[in-house]
Amino acid sequence: MALQARAEATRQAIIDAAVDVFNEMGYGDTTLSDIIDRTKITKGAFYYHFPDKEAVAGAIIEEGGVRVEEATRRVTESTSPSLEKLIRVTFVVAEMTRNDPIVRTGSRLRQGLDQISPAGRRSYAERLEHYIGVAHAAVAEGDVLDDIDPDELFEAVHTMDLGCHQLSDALGQDLFAHLARSWRMFLRGIVPPENLPYFQEFVTRQARQCMPPDQEESP
């Protein structure tokens, strides 16, 4: 047990070091030696856990995906109205992307998909199952216009969410503000007019809960 615990600790130390180096230098400019030096282990210890840099990237994507999947499931399995769940889960993932280095780095690496690891594609697919059922429930509950196809609703929400992450990352702009603006526009096309004020305010509340105090006034 002690040997296994030490091995797991070393593996995690490699992942944590790689996250730091990838964030500082970028994935492409990071060498295997950079990761080994940052971890302060021997090459033999590294190769015991990973065959190459790509495998470490895959492990980061996998671990970040597991953390997001667990958080997403907590939202989608709650008793809240389903459209609220769809909105809330995008902000939960955004908050994890800001606060959790492994989730943030995994998200950036995942954009490379198969160029880095098949873990990228799997992590997208795992996220989809949470959205699909909730989108169907949102239409059935009457908070979404009844002529909207739930599968198309799910696809549009997922695409909007991914686009907000990529755009805010590329431009160095606030992710929560992007999400709030996108949701407010998006809701105009899917929500019955009598329900729109409530869900617009719900989006604003979600953004304010995530934003630093000095940004709350302008989501």
Side-chain angles (χ1 to χ4, degrees), residues 192-208:
E194 63 273 18
N195 294 352
L196 184 59
Y198 172 80
F199 284 105
Q200 295 276 29
E201 177 58 27
F202 183 79
V203 167
T204 299
R205 292 201 308 271
Q206 292 298 302
R208 284 176 177 163

Side-chain angles (χ1 to χ4, degrees), residues 55-203:
V56 182
I60 294 170
I61 293 171
E62 291 275 12
E63 184 169 336
V66 167
R67 295 183 185 190
V68 168
E69 194 269 344
E70 291 173 349
T72 301
R73 190 175 296 279
R74 284 195 293 271
V75 175
T76 57
E77 292 180 352
S78 71
T79 58
S80 301
S82 294
L83 183 54
E84 289 187 10
K85 294 180 187 179
L86 278 178
I87 296 168
R88 182 179 292 116
V89 78
T90 62
F91 283 96
V92 167
V93 173
E95 193 164 25
M96 293 186 72
T97 302
R98 180 186 65 183
N99 296 329
D100 188 322
I102 287 181
V103 171
R104 180 171 58 253
T105 304
S107 178
R108 291 171 178 169
L109 292 170
R110 187 181 60 188
Q111 294 174 20
L113 294 176
D114 290 336
Q115 289 103 336
I116 293 177
S117 166
R121 181 174 297 173
R122 287 198 302 272
S123 68
Y124 276 122
E126 289 162 359
R127 182 98 55 91
L128 305 189
E129 68 176 83
H130 299 297
Y131 288 119
I132 294 173
V134 177
H136 277 259
V139 175
E141 290 167 8
D143 287 328
V144 174
L145 295 169
D146 58 12
D147 62 344
I148 289 180
D149 183 289
D151 291 325
E152 293 181 358
L153 171 63
F154 136 74
E155 183 177 351
V157 170
H158 193 54
T159 301
M160 177 190 70
D161 185 31
L162 293 176
C164 286
H165 279 259
Q166 293 188 355
L167 185 61
S168 64
D169 194 38
L171 300 178
Q173 296 177 353
D174 186 79
L175 174 56
F176 306 107
H178 275 291
L179 276 174
R181 289 193 295 268
S182 297
W183 266 116
R184 283 195 286 264
M185 290 295 295
F186 188 75
L187 288 169
R188 291 177 180 273
I190 68 167
V191 172
E194 63 273 18
N195 294 352
L196 184 59
Y198 172 80
F199 284 105
Q200 295 276 29
E201 177 58 27
F202 183 79
V203 167

